Amino acid sequence: MSRFWSKTVKELTPYVPGEQPKLSQLIKLNTNESPYGPSPKALAAIAAANTEALRLYPDPNSDALKQSIAKLHGLTANQVFVGNGSDEVLAHVFLGLLKHEDPILFPDITYSFYPVYCKLYGIAFDNIPLSDDFSISVADYLKKNNGRNGGIIFPNPNAPTGRALPLKDIETLLQSNKGSVVVIDEAYVDFGTSSAVSLIKQYNNLLVTHTLSKSYALAGLRVGYAVGHPDLIEALERVKNSFNSYPIDKLAMAGAMAAIEDQDYLKKISQSVIKTRENLIQSLNALGFETIPSSANFIFTKHPKHDAANLSAALREKHIIVRHFKLPRIDQYLRITIGTDEQCDALVKAIKEIL
């Protein structure tokens, strides 16, 4: 700690991303990346954009990319905001839409960046405990603080549990919580649940965030976006243009647009992940594991007779990395990213040997 640090920095506990080890012959199932490559059309578009024009700044408004996203969702461009990965989009959401006198609400087990943003921006928050089966109960949010809050945010499907909230429950929440913004973080929505984007035209307090890192297999490109009422988008634009006018570079814009337009490829690899996920769940359950129902590209599982930390360490010795959270309620669970069929078969084989 340096005497030159600000008070804010001294008090921060930064988010810890999943490990990115630089090891060869490693089966990496810890950061929810896609096991498949990006759309060939996206790679071709990135290559085509790699010209001397990179000496010029990109479009600060990313208008062409916004048009592609708007077309995909049946919206208008002024209902779309883009950023350098959904983490940056969420950072602007917390500062631009969730910083109020009343505390914001999010689950006690959820994306661990949320409390980091709150600490960074001085935002009060209350954790709403998940139910015993790790599901989100809308009623718990509506009765908290007599219905007063500075906003509500949660991933759907939730992370790290993978459990999804039905669209009808999200609509119930929106109908009963019209005094603040409801943010649905849909990083994993393409792996088995319905998107809340269909509700945007009915609810002016709904904001939905997406990323191209998971289902589009473009984690290395860093593109995310939010869609919602133009008034909400304007707030994000005001924050963005007070922070970084050029968050999306030319190569990222080209690749993102081509990927979004290649919906056939998206559906193909997403269905492959879903099929592998269900096969993996069956294989692990046959070995005595207890797995939370997942609508994501990962599973959350535990073995009642084996310590999760020990299992994680033993898998690492076999060059397989999974994610273990040393947190209350979930310290006996492993979060396992869905890899290829071959990677998941190797995982199951290794677990059999360990058990």
Side-chain angles (χ1 to χ4, degrees):
M1 185 176 295
S2 168
R3 64 187 179 90
F4 299 114
W5 287 10
S6 69
K7 182 175 183 293
T8 298
V9 170
K10 290 178 182 178
E11 295 177 350
L12 284 179
T13 302
Y15 171 76
V16 179
E19 183 184 4
Q20 295 286 353
K22 297 177 175 61
L23 301 173
S24 59
Q25 297 182 336
L26 182 73
I27 297 179
K28 188 173 179 297
L29 304 176
N30 67 322
T31 51
N32 300 341
E33 295 147 319
S34 174
Y36 305 105
S39 161
K41 294 180 180 179
L43 296 177
I46 293 169
N50 187 16
T51 70
E52 60 84 26
L54 290 178
R55 66 186 177 83
L56 302 173
Y57 283 111
D59 175 10
N61 294 319
S62 304
D63 287 329
L65 176 56
K66 288 180 181 178
Q67 289 286 356
S68 292
I69 296 169
K71 181 180 178 181
L72 173 66
H73 294 298
L75 302 171
T76 55
N78 67 345
Q79 293 176 288
V80 180
F81 176 80
V82 296
N84 188 254
S86 62
D87 285 338
E88 182 183 78
V89 173
L90 288 168
H92 294 340
V93 169
F94 271 74
L95 184 59
L97 296 172
L98 299 178
K99 186 176 173 63
H100 302 288
E101 291 185 6
D102 291 317
I104 68 170
L105 310 178
F106 51 80
D108 63 333
I109 301 170
T110 194
Y111 187 26
S112 53
F113 225 139
Y114 295 166
V116 174
Y117 291 135
C118 288
K119 188 69 174 179
L120 178 62
Y121 296 129
I123 300 172
F125 68 92
D126 285 331
N127 288 133
I128 307 299
L130 296 179
S131 301
D132 290 341
D133 65 354
F134 290 155
S135 62
I136 291 174
S137 171
V138 167
D140 292 342
Y141 287 79
L142 298 178
K143 68 184 181 183
K144 183 69 175 181
N145 301 329
N146 295 317
R148 291 180 58 87
N149 62 74
I152 296 172
I153 182 170
F154 55 81
N156 197 43
N158 194 19
T161 65
R163 188 182 279 278
L165 186 68
L167 195 60
K168 62 180 178 60
D169 290 349
I170 293 175
E171 185 159 20
T172 296
L173 179 63
L174 289 164
Q175 290 171 344
S176 303
N177 188 80
K178 296 182 179 180
S180 68
V181 173
V182 175
V183 182
I184 308 298
D185 181 354
E186 294 188 342
Y188 304 101
V189 73
D190 293 316
F191 299 108
T193 195
S194 299
S195 173
V197 171
S198 61
L199 301 175
I200 284 175
K201 294 178 181 178
Q202 299 169 246
Y203 300 96
N204 63 2
N205 64 327
L206 170 63
L207 190 82
V208 180
T209 62
H210 277 206
T211 178
L212 271 66
S213 296
K214 314 299 184 184
S215 55
Y216 284 94
L218 286 170
L221 207 62
R222 312 310 303 131
V223 176
Y225 64 89
V227 288
H229 190 277
D231 289 349
L232 303 183
I233 300 304
E234 183 181 355
L236 303 182
E237 294 287 356
R238 289 172 66 87
V239 174
K240 168 250 182 183
N241 288 320
S242 302
F243 176 74
N244 179 9
S245 296
Y246 303 97
I248 309 294
D249 63 66
K250 289 177 180 286
L251 301 183
M253 270 192 266
M257 289 171 58
I260 287 169
E261 291 165 5
D262 194 357
Q263 289 295 300
D264 288 341
Y265 185 81
L266 169 71
K267 293 173 184 176
K268 175 184 175 182
I269 62 174
S270 295
Q271 286 300 316
S272 294
V273 168
I274 292 170
K275 181 179 178 181
T276 303
R277 180 187 71 207
E278 297 310 305
N279 290 337
L280 177 59
I281 290 173
Q282 290 183 18
S283 296
L284 291 179
N285 288 352
L287 296 176
F289 281 82
E290 298 173 0
T291 306
I292 304 299
S294 175
S295 297
N297 68 336
F298 58 84
I299 60 171
F300 207 49
T301 190
K302 70 175 182 178
H303 197 293
K305 297 181 180 180
H306 294 271
D307 179 72
N310 291 339
L311 283 174
S312 177
L315 284 169
R316 189 181 185 89
E317 291 181 1
K318 294 180 177 294
H319 301 283
I320 300 174
I321 297 182
V322 298
R323 192 82 187 264
H324 175 241
F325 298 90
K326 299 177 182 179
L327 297 171
R329 297 186 68 188
I330 61 171
D331 63 338
Q332 287 305 307
Y333 283 83
L334 297 177
R335 193 194 70 188
I336 304 174
T337 302
I338 304 304
T340 62
D341 286 335
E342 292 76 17
Q343 289 173 327
C344 290
D345 288 344
L347 169 72
V348 172
K349 179 182 177 181
I351 289 176
K352 286 181 179 179
E353 293 172 354
I354 293 167
L355 298 185

